[in-house]
């Protein structure tokens, strides 16, 4: 069979094999571990796998939450940094405005001193004029030597008075402008302080969000750590249960070999369908004649019982592909196509495994696992200690990892088939 068809068949074998493993509890002459115990162990292993999958999904979800939280933390910290820069800029503007206000205060104080001084000088000059008797134009006229002198004296009095008034007016205007500037600066100061307060409030909100997000991330990280510990514990349990299953199957494989050694060469399929301790379904028995005929055509007459055992395991004799040998073409093919293809494939695996006959259980085990995994398994396992359930598990995991599949074939395929098989 070509590689593509084999791949499709492997994808279908896995769930079928597990279901059969859980439902059928009869095995070929068990020694120390009954099939019920194996079924229980496999059920326990399946539950552990389910639990492990749930934990891995939870870990993945928590890791996604951590990544999202850290991204949000980065964005929040960036916003906080921008806000801090804005607050710092506002503070610099407030400081500059305060300095300007202080400068205006100083200028107003200096201008007030100048105004007070000018007023004081004007008062002194007026008082001096009054005390000296020059407080009227008549006195100025009488003390004048001529009209020209009088006009001159009058103009001087007016000039002195006007000069002082202009000086006072100018200083008053300067003071008014300073007061207007000071008011504008104080308004600017209040606006800056209000904006600064808003920025500080925004920073407080961002800080609270950072704290909340950091707590969420920390909680998710704690959850991941706890779930990873649980996953490690489940993995350890899986390894323990898997070891127990491997030991149980090894004992039953030994039982199968012992039973085969004691079985007479004349053993054949009975009308009740009891073979090697297993029971064929009526659907499988319905193909007995067809299988016998096709097996004879391909030199596989000695392996009719084995072919029927494979069919029982693969499909219970149901569907258009009872040997599960057609892959993607199974939907449009016929049961005869499946039987012909499956017998040819099994024959090839038997030849590669070097089987000497239907009682050569050791090499039949190798051929059966090759039928399920592909003949490449036979070459691989010969360089890795020979067939065992443990090696089948190892190969299954290795292939699944390489192909990116969730599973590869049925590592327990050999004992699953042998429970129906009796050499003839």
């Amino acid at each position: 069979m070509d590689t593509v068809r084999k791949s499709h068949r492997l994808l279908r074998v896995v769930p079928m094999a597990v279901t059969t493993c859980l439902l059928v509890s009869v095995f070929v002459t068990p020694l120390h571990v009954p099939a019920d115990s194996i079924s229980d162990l496999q059920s326990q292993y399946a539950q552990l796998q389910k639990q492990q999958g749930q934990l891995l999904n939870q870990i993945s979800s928590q890791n996604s939450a951590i990544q999202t939280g850290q991204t949000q933390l980065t964005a929040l910290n960036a916003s906080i940094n921008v806000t801090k820069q804005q607050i710092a800029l506002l503070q610099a503007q407030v400081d500059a405005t305060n300095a300007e206000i202080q400068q205006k205060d100083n200028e107003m104080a200096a201008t007030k001193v100048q105004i007070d001084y000018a007023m004081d000088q004007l008062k002194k000059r007026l008082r001096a004029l009054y005390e000296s008797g020059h407080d009227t134009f008549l006195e100025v006229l009488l003390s004048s030597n001529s009209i020209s002198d009088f006009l001159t004296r009058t103009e001087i009095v007016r000039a002195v008075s006007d000069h002082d008034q202009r000086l006072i007016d100018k200083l008053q205007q300067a003071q008014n402008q300073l007061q207007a500037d000071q008011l504008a600066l104080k308004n600017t100061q209040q606006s800056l302080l209000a904006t600064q307060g808003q920025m500080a409030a925004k920073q407080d909100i961002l800080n609270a969000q950072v704290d909340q997000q950091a707590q969420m991330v920390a909680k998710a990280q704690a959850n991941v750590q706890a779930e990873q510990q649980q996953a490690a514990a489940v993995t350890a349990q899986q390894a323990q249960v898997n070891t127990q299953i491997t030991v149980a199957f090894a004992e039953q494989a030994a039982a199968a070999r012992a039973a085969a050694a004691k079985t007479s060469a004349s053993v054949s399929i009975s009308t009740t369908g009891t073979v090697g301790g297993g029971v064929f379904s009526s659907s499988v028995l319905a193909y007995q004649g067809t299988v016998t005929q096709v097996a004879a055509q391909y030199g596989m007459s000695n392996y009719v019982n084995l072919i029927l055992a494979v069919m029982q395991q693969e499909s219970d004799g149901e569907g258009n592909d009872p040997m599960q040998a057609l892959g993607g073409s199974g939907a449009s093919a016929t049961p005869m196509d499946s039987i012909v293809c499956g017998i040819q494939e099994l024959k090839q695996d038997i030849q590669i495994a070097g089987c000497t006959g239907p009682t050569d259980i050791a090499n039949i085990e190798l051929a059966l696992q090759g039928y399920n995994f592909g003949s490449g398994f036979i070459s691989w396992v010969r360089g890795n200690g020979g067939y065992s359930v443990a090696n089948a598990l190892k190969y299954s995991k290795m292939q699944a990892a390489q192909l990116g599949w969730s599973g590869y074939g049925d590592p327990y395929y050999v004992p699953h088939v042998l429970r129906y098989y009796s050499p003839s």
Side-chain angles (χ1 to χ4, degrees):
M1 171 171 288
D2 58 76
T3 303
V4 174
R5 287 188 295 174
K6 171 69 73 176
S7 298
H8 285 292
R9 185 175 70 81
L10 289 173
L11 287 173
R12 290 196 298 274
V13 167
V14 176
M16 185 185 306
V18 173
T19 301
T20 306
C21 175
L22 295 177
L23 295 178
V24 180
S25 61
V26 180
F27 198 84
V28 180
T29 316
L31 291 180
H32 303 295
V33 182
D36 287 341
S37 297
I38 293 176
S39 180
D40 291 341
L41 287 171
Q42 288 178 322
S43 178
Q44 182 181 353
Y45 188 85
Q47 289 298 321
L48 289 171
Q49 280 186 315
K50 181 179 179 181
Q51 183 180 356
Q52 184 78 306
Q54 291 173 344
L55 286 170
L56 292 177
N57 287 336
Q58 291 172 2
I59 290 172
S60 177
S61 177
Q62 293 292 339
N63 282 331
S64 296
I66 290 172
Q67 185 175 2
T68 300
Q70 289 175 336
T71 300
Q72 292 176 351
L73 278 175
T74 300
L76 287 170
N77 284 325
S79 297
I80 288 175
N81 288 334
V82 171
T83 304
K84 286 181 177 179
Q85 292 173 0
Q86 292 174 336
I87 291 174
L89 178 61
L90 288 170
Q91 185 60 51
Q93 293 174 340
V94 168
D95 293 341
T97 301
N98 288 337
E100 289 184 39
I101 291 174
Q102 183 62 47
Q103 181 179 357
K104 294 298 180 183
D105 287 341
N106 294 338
E107 290 176 2
M108 286 180 64
T111 300
K112 187 176 184 306
V113 170
Q114 291 176 347
I115 290 174
D116 292 342
Y117 177 77
M119 289 293 295
D120 183 64
Q121 292 300 314
L122 177 59
K123 290 176 181 179
K124 287 181 178 180
R125 279 193 289 274
L126 292 175
R127 186 179 296 111
L129 287 172
Y130 176 78
E131 290 176 351
S132 62
H134 297 289
D135 56 345
T136 67
F137 286 112
L138 178 61
E139 291 176 346
V140 172
L141 176 63
L142 294 176
S143 62
S144 300
N145 297 323
S146 63
I147 285 295
S148 176
D149 186 29
F150 171 79
L151 293 175
T152 300
R153 288 173 179 264
T154 302
E155 189 65 28
I156 290 173
V157 171
R158 288 177 176 174
V160 171
S161 178
D162 290 343
H163 173 269
D164 287 339
Q165 186 62 47
R166 285 195 302 272
L167 176 61
I168 291 172
D169 290 343
K170 183 177 180 180
L171 290 174
Q172 187 66 49
Q173 290 175 359
Q175 185 179 38
N176 292 339
Q177 183 62 46
L178 287 173
Q179 288 177 338
D181 292 344
Q182 186 184 47
L183 180 61
L185 286 172
K186 287 184 177 181
N187 289 335
T188 300
Q189 181 190 48
Q190 293 301 318
S191 177
L192 289 172
L193 289 174
T195 304
Q196 191 179 40
Q198 294 173 356
M199 290 295 101
K202 179 181 178 181
Q203 183 177 3
D204 291 339
I205 293 173
L206 290 171
N207 286 333
Q209 291 176 345
V210 166
D211 291 340
Q212 182 180 9
Q213 202 65 39
Q215 291 175 3
M216 292 175 60
V217 169
K219 183 177 180 180
Q221 289 173 334
N223 289 339
V224 166
Q225 185 177 4
E227 288 161 358
Q228 285 175 337
Q229 292 174 351
Q230 293 178 27
V234 170
T235 299
Q237 287 180 301
Q238 282 182 300
Q240 183 180 3
V241 172
N242 185 59
T243 299
Q244 293 173 336
I245 292 173
T246 301
V247 170
F249 273 126
E251 290 182 356
Q252 293 202 353
R257 294 188 186 95
K262 296 178 181 179
T263 301
S264 169
S266 63
V267 174
S268 61
I269 302 174
S270 67
T271 57
T272 61
T274 301
V275 179
V279 177
F280 287 137
S281 66
S282 59
S283 298
V284 171
L285 289 174
Y287 286 113
Q288 179 179 343
T290 302
V291 168
T292 302
Q293 179 184 357
V294 176
Q297 293 177 3
Y298 290 97
M300 289 284 286
S301 295
N302 291 337
Y303 294 99
V304 170
N305 289 3
L306 184 63
I307 296 166
L308 293 173
V310 169
M311 183 186 293
Q312 182 69 53
Q313 172 60 26
E314 290 287 354
S315 69
D316 291 333
E318 302 292 339
N320 289 336
D321 189 9
M323 295 293 289
Q324 292 293 294
L326 298 176
S329 63
S332 59
T334 65
M336 177 60 79
D337 295 329
S338 177
I339 292 170
V340 170
C341 189
I343 288 176
Q344 290 183 76
E345 182 178 351
L346 184 59
K347 178 180 179 179
Q348 177 184 347
D349 292 325
I350 285 174
Q351 290 174 339
I352 295 173
C355 289
T356 59
T359 60
D360 186 2
I361 302 299
N363 286 324
I364 284 178
E365 290 177 335
L366 191 58
L368 286 174
Q369 196 63 65
Y371 184 85
N372 182 255
F373 279 162
S375 57
F377 169 77
I378 300 175
S379 301
W380 178 85
V381 81
R382 280 176 171 163
N384 289 274
Y387 170 77
S388 66
V389 174
N391 266 343
L393 284 164
K394 182 178 180 181
Y395 186 82
S396 175
K397 292 179 180 179
M398 179 181 68
Q399 291 296 101
Q402 289 178 355
L403 295 171
W405 294 356
S406 59
Y408 184 88
D410 176 13
Y412 304 108
Y413 189 75
V414 171
H416 286 161
V417 174
L418 286 182
R419 62 185 152 189
Y420 302 113
Y421 176 61
S422 180
S424 60

